[in-house]
Amino acid sequence: MTASNAAELYAQISADHDLTQALFRQALQDPSGAISRIIELGQQFSLPVSSQEIRTYISSLDDSVSKQWLVKARGGL
Protein backbone atom coordinates (compact mmCIF):
# COMPACT_ATOMS: atom_id res chain seq x y z
CA MET A 1 0.00 0.00 0.00
CA THR A 2 1.32 3.39 -0.92
CA ALA A 3 0.34 7.02 -0.94
CA SER A 4 0.44 6.88 -4.73
CA ASN A 5 -2.34 4.28 -4.63
CA ALA A 6 -4.45 6.69 -2.60
CA ALA A 7 -3.76 9.48 -5.09
CA GLU A 8 -4.58 7.29 -8.09
CA LEU A 9 -7.72 5.95 -6.44
CA TYR A 10 -8.82 9.50 -5.59
CA ALA A 11 -8.31 10.49 -9.23
CA GLN A 12 -10.37 7.55 -10.48
CA ILE A 13 -13.18 8.21 -8.01
CA SER A 14 -13.13 11.94 -8.82
CA ALA A 15 -13.47 11.18 -12.52
CA ASP A 16 -16.81 9.45 -11.87
CA HIS A 17 -19.28 12.16 -10.83
CA ASP A 18 -22.02 9.72 -9.79
CA LEU A 19 -19.63 7.66 -7.67
CA THR A 20 -18.21 10.79 -6.07
CA GLN A 21 -21.70 12.01 -5.15
CA ALA A 22 -22.72 8.59 -3.80
CA LEU A 23 -19.61 8.45 -1.59
CA PHE A 24 -20.22 11.99 -0.37
CA ARG A 25 -23.82 11.15 0.59
CA GLN A 26 -22.65 7.96 2.30
CA ALA A 27 -19.97 9.87 4.20
CA LEU A 28 -22.60 12.24 5.57
CA GLN A 29 -24.74 9.36 6.84
CA ASP A 30 -22.14 6.67 7.54
CA PRO A 31 -18.55 7.95 7.48
CA SER A 32 -16.94 4.65 8.42
CA GLY A 33 -19.01 2.91 5.75
CA ALA A 34 -17.72 5.39 3.18
CA ILE A 35 -14.14 4.55 4.16
CA SER A 36 -14.94 0.85 3.83
CA ARG A 37 -16.44 1.47 0.40
CA ILE A 38 -13.34 3.39 -0.72
CA ILE A 39 -11.15 0.50 0.48
CA GLU A 40 -13.35 -1.90 -1.56
CA LEU A 41 -13.02 0.32 -4.61
CA GLY A 42 -9.27 0.29 -4.15
CA GLN A 43 -9.30 -3.50 -4.24
CA GLN A 44 -11.50 -3.50 -7.36
CA PHE A 45 -9.13 -1.09 -9.14
CA SER A 46 -6.02 -3.00 -7.94
CA LEU A 47 -5.06 0.05 -5.87
CA PRO A 48 -5.11 -1.27 -2.29
CA VAL A 49 -5.30 1.40 0.40
CA SER A 50 -5.79 1.42 4.15
CA SER A 51 -8.22 3.61 6.04
CA GLN A 52 -5.26 5.59 7.43
CA GLU A 53 -3.90 6.19 3.93
CA ILE A 54 -7.30 7.49 2.86
CA ARG A 55 -7.50 9.83 5.84
CA THR A 56 -3.94 11.06 5.34
CA TYR A 57 -4.40 11.65 1.63
CA ILE A 58 -7.70 13.51 1.97
CA SER A 59 -6.33 15.71 4.74
CA SER A 60 -3.32 16.58 2.56
CA LEU A 61 -5.45 17.87 -0.32
CA ASP A 62 -5.47 21.58 -0.92
CA ASP A 63 -8.82 21.99 -2.65
CA SER A 64 -11.90 23.34 -0.91
CA VAL A 65 -14.27 20.61 -2.09
CA SER A 66 -12.15 17.85 -0.58
CA LYS A 67 -11.66 19.83 2.61
CA GLN A 68 -15.43 20.31 2.86
CA TRP A 69 -15.92 16.56 2.38
CA LEU A 70 -13.45 15.89 5.17
CA VAL A 71 -15.07 18.38 7.54
CA LYS A 72 -18.59 17.05 6.93
CA ALA A 73 -17.52 13.43 7.26
CA ARG A 74 -15.10 14.07 10.13
CA GLY A 75 -17.00 11.80 12.50
CA GLY A 76 -15.85 8.60 10.81
CA LEU A 77 -12.72 9.86 9.13
Side-chain angles (χ1 to χ4, degrees), residues 13-61:
I13 291 170
S14 295
D16 184 331
H17 178 74
D18 292 339
L19 178 57
T20 301
Q21 292 302 309
L23 284 170
F24 181 72
R25 284 190 301 274
Q26 183 175 7
L28 292 175
Q29 297 173 4
D30 178 19
S32 61
I35 292 291
S36 295
R37 178 68 179 127
I38 292 168
I39 291 170
E40 290 172 14
L41 289 167
Q43 292 170 348
Q44 290 175 9
F45 295 140
S46 297
L47 296 166
V49 292
S50 70
S51 61
Q52 186 58 47
E53 287 170 324
I54 294 166
R55 289 180 184 99
T56 300
Y57 183 75
I58 290 174
S59 66
S60 75
L61 295 173

